[in-house]
Amino acid sequence: MSERTVIIAFGAAALFIIVTMIVFMVLYRKKVNRRLKEAAEGIETNKKPMIPPVKFFIVTLFLTIVMAFVFLLAMAGIASLSYKEDITVRTNSTTQFHSYGISQLKNTPFAEYKKFGDEISGYKKYTKQEGDIIINYYILENKELGFLPHAVYSADYTGDKDAVYVYERNMIQGKNYGGGNGYGGKKFILDKQLNVLELGTNGDNDIETVEITVSVYFEEPESDARDIDFEKKMEEKAAQKAVLVLTKEDIFGKNTDGQRK
C-alpha cells in the first residue's frame, strides 16, 4: 500500500467530515429557529433534545477515522493478494532464468528497482566491468529467505548502443544438471531488464556454478543453431565480452570468504 493511498484515504475522510458538518449545521439552525418560533407562539413541544454540534462533530470524527482505517486495511489486503499473484519467484526446486522488463516488476520483491544500477532491499550489490560492459549482480543477504531468489543480475553496454548487436547468454551447471539460454539483438536494451535466477537447490538440481556472458558485436554475427559449437564461435567474433562466474559459495554463502569473481 502506497503513501498516496493513505493520503487519499485521510483526505477523503477530512472532506467527508467538512461536508457532513456543513449539512448538519444547516439542519441544526433550521430546527433551532423552528423551536424558537414555536416557543414564541406558545406552542408546547415534547421533542427530544437536539445533539449539540460539538458532540456530533466528535462522533462523526470517530466514525470517519474508523471507516478510514477499515478502508486502508481492505486496501492492504487487496495489495497483499496482488503481490502473491504477481510475485515472480516460486518455492520449488526448478532451476530457471527469468528475464523481466523493469515495467513488469510492479508488485514483486523488486518493485523498487526503477533503473539500471539501483539498489535492491535485502540484496548486496556487486559490480563487474570489462570494457564498456557492466554487469551488476545482487546476492541475497539472508539465506534463510528461501522464497526469494538468491541471485539477480542486470547488464548494460555503455558504448554506442545504435552501432552494435548485443548477445547475452547464461548457463547453470549442477551436479546432474546443466542448461541455460541466450537472447539478444540489434539495439538490444540490456539496462531495461532485470534477470532473476531461480535456482533449485534440492536433489539433482544442486547448483555448482552460474556463468553469465554478455557479448557485443559491431555487426550481427552469423550463427547456426544446428551447430553445437555455434555459441562458442559467436563469442570468438565478439568485439567485447564480459564473463561473470558465480559459484555455489558465492550464491548461497557456504564456506565463502565473501570474495566474488
Side-chain angles (χ1 to χ4, degrees), residues 58-235:
I58 293 174
V59 172
T60 302
L61 178 63
F62 174 76
L63 293 177
T64 303
I65 291 175
V66 171
M67 291 172 60
F69 274 107
V70 170
F71 170 78
L72 291 174
L73 288 174
M75 291 299 294
I78 293 172
S80 176
L81 289 175
S82 176
Y83 175 87
K84 291 177 181 177
E85 291 173 359
D86 294 346
I87 191 168
T88 61
V89 296
R90 291 169 290 279
T91 57
N92 57 29
S93 62
T94 304
T95 299
Q96 299 180 50
F97 277 91
H98 301 281
S99 182
Y100 298 96
I102 292 177
S103 61
Q104 297 176 288
L105 299 177
K106 183 179 179 181
N107 295 327
T108 76
F110 313 107
E112 65 184 306
Y113 188 88
K114 303 296 184 184
K115 63 183 184 301
F116 180 78
D118 279 357
E119 301 289 337
I120 301 176
S121 296
Y123 288 80
K124 187 169 184 179
K125 175 185 169 185
Y126 301 89
T127 298
K128 178 170 185 177
Q129 181 167 1
E130 294 187 23
D132 295 322
I133 301 173
I134 301 173
I135 302 177
N136 289 326
Y137 57 105
Y138 305 78
I139 304 298
L140 184 65
E141 294 187 288
N142 186 348
K143 310 303 181 183
E144 296 180 359
L145 298 178
F147 60 91
L148 290 174
H150 284 78
V152 179
Y153 79 93
S154 58
D156 190 20
Y157 173 68
T158 60
D160 184 2
K161 292 182 173 64
D162 291 336
V164 300
Y165 180 98
V166 178
Y167 183 77
E168 181 178 339
R169 181 173 65 90
N170 43 61
M171 293 293 295
I172 302 175
Q173 185 63 49
K175 288 181 178 178
N176 297 295
Y177 173 87
N181 55 31
Y183 48 87
K186 187 73 173 177
K187 300 181 183 180
F188 186 69
I189 307 176
L190 283 169
D191 61 311
K192 301 299 182 184
Q193 304 288 323
L194 187 67
N195 303 283
V196 177
L197 282 62
E198 185 181 335
L199 304 175
T201 57
N202 296 329
D204 293 341
N205 287 345
D206 201 12
I207 300 303
E208 294 296 333
T209 61
V210 174
E211 181 178 312
I212 299 159
T213 304
V214 179
S215 305
V216 173
Y217 308 82
F218 291 113
E219 60 182 18
E220 184 173 349
E222 296 182 1
S223 62
D224 185 354
R226 294 172 297 180
D227 182 353
I228 59 174
D229 295 323
F230 84 98
E231 288 185 343
K232 182 178 179 181
K233 293 177 181 178
M234 284 180 63
E235 291 179 7

